[in-house]
Amino acid sequence: MVKDIMLPKIAKVVVDLPVEGSFDYSIPKEYQKQVTIGQRAVILFNRRKMVGVIVDLRQTSRFKRLNPLLSLLDEVPAIDTQALQLTQQLSQQYGCSWGEAIFISLPPVLRRNTRTQLSLSKIEYSPLEKPQSIFLHDINKEKKWDFLRQKVHETLRLGQGVLILVHELTAAEEVSKRLGQTNVMILKKKLSVKQELAQWMQFKSGESLVAIGTRSAVFAPVAHLGFIVIFDEEHDFYKEEQSPYYDARYVAQMRAKLQGCSLCLVSAAPLAETWKEVQKKGWEKVSFEPDSLSVVQVVDMSNYNPQKTSIISFPLQNQIQKFLEAKKKVVLFMNRRGFAALTRCNQCGFTLRCERCDVNLTYLHSKQILVCRHCDSSRELPKVCPHCQGNYLKSMGKGIEKLEQEVAQMYPAAKVACYDRDNPTFPARADIILTTQTILSVKEKISFDFIAILNFDAELHHMNYRCAQKAFTLLVHLRQMAKEKLMVQTYMRDNYVLKSVQAMNYEKFYRKELQLRKELNFPPYQHLVILKMRGDKEEDVFARSQAVFEALDQKKPEGVRVTDAHPDVKPKVRDKYRFSILLKGKSVKVILGFVKKVLKGVKKKRGIIVTVEVDY
DNA sequence: AGCACGCCGACT
DNA sequence: GTCGGCGTGCTC
């Protein structure tokens, strides 16, 4: 009888909805002995059958009438207490409900009404001595792998697990190969329900001790986690594209702290945020003798190409000739995909545009189609002008496919090919490769004799506080990939990004970059919360944004800055007009709390979706 | 998120 | 009179 009183009667349950707080359910007698925190249960929520997660157990509830738990789905908690804490922190940092955070951390199979028979790891493990935070400067390929191999080996010897995050799946294969461990599991996308479940259980049971994967792998239930590695943290791929817009790098750091495990960031050109952390928080910096460095030659285009006649300057032509004669590979880098950025009728001036996004369509010569860079929709190139039926459609604005034709004409003896997201097979046999960012995905595997960046300045002209960082990262990586020479064509030869890479002076870049971030109140000194609003009618979305802005501006707490409501970088995508408001301040928590309060107070408007993003 | 409740305009 | 639009609020 006494025992019976101690059994839990009430379960606090959260669901995958944007609602704050948990909900009380009575636990039927037959479940009271087996119920635990972290199990999933089927519940009736607002007359709907849903899957919820039990986050607490109680004896009493302040509610009179409770619905019962309909059934329990797991024998052993699907989510352990540390993972629950992690998701709670995630919800606070990225402004979603705890429930949404929990469900985003579960693999899609477990978000649904599926039963599991999980078993927990019974492997013996030794506790950690002292968790380390390591920054591994990726400037010596072989020694980098030696270091990581040894670290991973050490961790496994203690019976602890390893989590490795990569920016894309192709890199996972390479990492797995380099580590040469047997109990490695790559978290692939697009698995069958059965496979996905099997993979999840292999980590829970300790059968696999090393998880390698992209973004969502940060939640992999690796048993006795002892070591987290993040490769190339500077990639945008670590940011989730849907709400909650979490950042896997940051979540990994939260997880390391919670779990008391070691963390290692591996990067050739880390984020300024990381550089500061390493200096200020006394991270261990591991840096080896750098591999031999290629020469950097800067071509000042205002001297060599004042009339802007060709994107390939004379010095570049000379170099291409020289390398081709020596039977060496040439890579020409330009960050513009496709053939033409603009297709217009020379008779009536009609320009081919995406109706749903109001942007010019990009012509892809390789696929003979026009694509929209915002919504990815595509259509065939019309034979005649849709407006005047004339025969004068003309393409303008060079992409790498157009360049391919020009270069092929200039060097008829050379084999020329494109490598970008539209031509994704690596042209191994080409003499001259025209490429975009895509080239970075072969960074670990291939290097080239000569790389030229045709239009470096384009990298610096984005309206984003991270653009200098991105340009720096790009330059460093391309310099590493070029065995002999990196050529940079620019009109801005005195820019600090270029200067720092020329001198390979990391300190110089980060000092300047951090100073600018500080002056302009950007991360890591202050945090950014971006409010995005979208809807069908431009006036309505703007009116709502304006109303939200006014309310924010009126009640903003001390030290928080709010910008006007302005059209987004992409003002229209898929027929939805988009506006944003930016908030800056020292504490994300304070800003998010404030934003939530204000949004509750401002009148809602039908069909307008509001989302919140942090630090991007 | 989704679903009910409730309050105002044009219809058999 | 009432059907149905949409703004508001709640979900244990």
Side-chain angles (χ1 to χ4, degrees), chain A residues 17 31 113 115 117 138 160 193 195 203 209-211 235 268 270 288 316 359 399 420 427 452 494 509 549:
Chain A
L17 290 176
Y31 294 142
N113 188 339
R115 287 181 177 280
Q117 287 169 301
D138 181 10
Q160 296 173 358
V193 166
Q195 285 171 317
F203 289 118
L209 276 174
V210 184
H235 274 98
F288 302 103
L316 177 52
V359 289
D420 67 346
D494 291 325
F509 169 73
F549 162 72

Side-chain angles (χ1 to χ4, degrees), chain A residues 38-191:
Chain A
Q39 278 175 325
R40 295 168 308 133
V42 178
I43 51 161
L44 213 52
F45 184 78
N46 201 12
R47 293 169 290 272
R48 280 187 298 159
K49 239 186 190 180
M50 295 185 82
V51 175
V53 171
I54 298 168
V55 293
D56 204 359
L57 296 169
R58 299 286 177 87
Q59 292 297 324
T60 56
S61 169
R62 62 189 179 87
F63 292 91
K64 288 200 187 76
R65 237 179 262 291
L66 293 183
N67 287 330
L69 297 179
L70 298 180
S71 63
L72 293 176
L73 293 173
D74 309 308
E75 284 181 7
V76 157
I79 181 160
D80 64 33
T81 45
Q82 267 177 346
L84 280 175
Q85 272 185 64
L86 182 69
T87 52
Q88 198 163 35
Q89 289 183 11
L90 188 151
S91 73
Q92 285 163 9
Q93 175 68 19
Y94 295 105
C96 63
S97 70
W98 191 12
E100 288 173 297
I102 289 175
F103 278 84
I104 201 76
S105 82
L106 292 173
V109 243
L110 295 188
R111 296 174 201 171
R112 298 192 297 268
N113 188 339
T114 40
R115 287 181 177 280
T116 64
Q117 287 169 301
L118 302 173
S119 52
L120 290 177
S121 171
K122 290 178 190 78
I123 292 174
E124 297 271 324
Y125 75 104
S126 321
L128 278 162
E129 287 140 43
K130 199 169 152 240
Q132 290 172 293
S133 294
I134 306 163
F135 164 59
L136 172 54
H137 205 175
D138 181 10
I139 48 177
N140 182 313
K141 289 267 165 289
E142 290 312 313
K143 288 194 176 143
K144 166 185 80 178
W145 289 114
D146 290 344
F147 178 85
L148 288 170
R149 230 187 326 267
Q150 202 219 322
K151 272 279 172 197
V152 168
H153 186 77
E154 258 174 48
T155 311
L156 292 174
R157 207 162 36 84
L158 294 171
Q160 296 173 358
V162 179
L163 171 63
I164 301 174
L165 297 183
V166 289
H167 63 90
E168 57 168 353
L169 223 45
T170 48
E173 308 283 350
E174 183 68 15
V175 172
S176 169
K177 215 165 67 193
R178 292 280 193 161
L179 290 180
Q181 287 290 341
T182 49
N183 47 4
V184 172
M185 180 83 131
I186 294 174
L187 291 142
K188 299 219 172 71
K189 323 255 164 196
K190 304 258 181 262
L191 291 176

Side-chain angles (χ1 to χ4, degrees), chain A residues 522-571:
Chain A
F522 278 118
Y525 298 95
Q526 296 224 345
H527 293 284
L528 223 55
V529 172
I530 308 167
L531 225 55
K532 293 190 174 178
M533 281 137 292
R534 56 179 206 269
D536 295 326
K537 282 178 77 185
E538 192 173 12
E539 317 88 77
D540 288 359
V541 186
F542 180 66
R544 176 88 208 281
S545 312
Q546 198 59 35
V548 171
F549 162 72
E550 275 159 24
L552 287 168
D553 196 48
Q554 231 174 66
K555 297 175 200 155
K556 65 182 175 226
E558 186 76 19
V560 172
R561 266 168 262 258
V562 187
T563 69
D564 259 321
H566 53 273
D568 195 78
V569 210
K570 297 176 180 178

